[in-house]
Amino acid sequence: MKKTSVINPGMKMAEVVHIDYTLLPVINRFGISLGFGDETIEQICRMYHINMDFFLEILNTFHDPDYFPEENLKKYPIGLLIDYLKKTHSYYLEVKVPELEKLITGMIDDPKQERQKHKLMNEFFAHYKKELTDHILREEDKVYPYILDLEKTVKEKNCSDEMKKRLNRYSIDHFPDEHDDVEEKLLDLKNIIIKYLPPPIDANRCNAILYMLFELEKDLNDHARIEDTIMVPMVADLEKQYEKMIKA
Amino acid sequence: MSNYNIIMAEKSYLVRLGIMQVLEELKVQATISECSNIKEVKHRLKSMDVDVMIMNAAFKDISASEIIQLKSDHPGLKVAQIINSEEEAIPVVDHIINLNEDKRKVFQKIEAIFKSAQRPKHEASESGLSKREIEILRLVARGLTNSEIAEKLFISTHTVISHRKNISHKLGIKSVAGLTVYAVLNNYIDGSSIR
Ligand SMILES: [Fe+2]
Ligand SMILES: [Fe+2]
């Protein structure tokens, strides 16, 4: 049955992990390390100087696909969110993808005999990696800087001509709708391994790859959901404020 | 009866439990996955063949056009809606169950849902690609575009697209890169002939 408990400030951090262990990488991303003792979320956030509203929002969004933040929306600066999203990106590119790559490269038992199969899987993964990397780079090079510029401008209520030019070059309406494509290749990879990889293969290794793929898939989906349902509306709101500011 | 894949988009625990009880009494074997929003539904539909989606009228963000789209993307999918009152019914669904109906009616209706969802046998077989589909798969894997394939086989692009949809649906592989891997693994093409 669906778990719908909302994670709240008074909950013990340890309890949260027992409720939903898939939150572990999320917790790590905030720099919180294990060994929580009996500290509550509130205490831990104070200890690590973490904005608790933001932390809870992210935890709940990951924990419950239905959680849709509305009221909390403005309790933290968007820079925090961008920071978090970037951290997630580097977790994918620097931790998860290399881990998977290593496992996949060693997937075929006898690379000499099965050279073609070997090459094929490597190439497919390289393909996936490129697509994911390109998507992430587009966000980091184009979208995020725009958002930060926008936030700064609105906050300082002052916009130089050069900034105006920069801001006019982009709008969140164009936020790339690529999440489905990236997801598609991951699904393909899962199915190839689950349904179509002929023996001999190293079963343990394949299981490990699959576990990792399922985990990555969930994490990526939640990440994309945060971008689509939290970030985009926040930016749209900033854009409105900016328009007003420019007109005034 | 064969095993059905069901999506249950119903938030009420009691209603879910009730439906499962009815399925058990009707001896319908089913794998049930619960979804709580449209995104999850789409996601589930992508990763497996779903026969029936049972959804509540109060299910968030689903509209008639959304259902039409789902049904055209996933031919064979039957959609049943659970309603509290007639006004809630979405006209495009296949079956409607009213929560106020008596046991006999409910049983009849649920049985009818699964009768209508019976999968044609040939589609479910594992070596499911037809000769034509294999031919097209080969060309896709070699990197030909839809219009190039159409030209080569003297068929319309539209037909190529519909074949490709079927291939992806049967195999569970959508991307060209993925189809290529499949084609090589199954010796439909020689790995060295790619690109
Ligand atoms: Fe991202
Ligand atoms: Fe993204």
Side-chain angles (χ1 to χ4, degrees), chain A residues 89 135-136 139 144 175-176 178-179 223-224 227-228:
Chain A
H89 285 167
H135 171 71
I136 285 175
E139 290 182 344
Y144 296 174
F175 183 59
E178 303 168 330
H179 291 149
H223 175 86
E227 289 179 337
D228 294 337

Side-chain angles (χ1 to χ4, degrees), chain A residues 42-65:
Chain A
E42 202 170 3
Q43 288 163 332
I44 295 233
C45 282
R46 216 174 304 129
M47 221 160 85
Y48 283 90
H49 306 290
I50 292 168
N51 181 317
M52 190 175 66
D53 291 326
F54 178 61
F55 182 57
L56 284 174
E57 185 130 316
I58 297 293
L59 279 191
N60 278 311
T61 312
F62 267 79
H63 173 59
D64 176 7

Side-chain angles (χ1 to χ4, degrees), chain A residues 1 66 116 183 188 191 196, chain B residues 11 43 171-172 174-175 191:
Chain A
M1 295 278 124
D66 258 353
Q116 201 187 41
E183 197 182 313
D188 285 357
N191 264 336
Y196 303 117
Chain B
K11 280 209 168 157
H43 195 244
L171 298 179
K174 282 201 174 139
S175 64

Side-chain angles (χ1 to χ4, degrees), chain A residues 173-186:
Chain A
D173 292 345
H174 307 141
F175 183 59
D177 191 11
E178 303 168 330
H179 291 149
D180 282 351
D181 297 330
V182 178
E183 197 182 313
E184 190 175 285
K185 284 231 172 51
L186 200 70

Side-chain angles (χ1 to χ4, degrees), chain B residues 10-55:
Chain B
E10 161 63 65
K11 280 209 168 157
S12 156
Y13 171 69
L14 285 176
V15 173
R16 286 203 304 262
L17 207 62
I19 292 173
M20 291 206 275
Q21 179 66 31
V22 176
L23 292 181
E24 199 169 300
E25 282 189 42
L26 285 171
K27 298 204 166 47
V28 173
Q29 286 196 19
T31 311
I32 298 172
S33 27
E34 291 169 16
C35 292
S36 49
N37 56 39
I38 185 72
K39 186 123 201 241
E40 267 180 53
V41 168
K42 284 186 185 157
H43 195 244
R44 205 43 61 75
L45 284 168
K46 257 186 221 165
S47 55
M48 61 193 232
D49 280 329
V50 176
D51 305 292
V52 176
M53 170 161 108
I54 300 176
M55 60 159 217

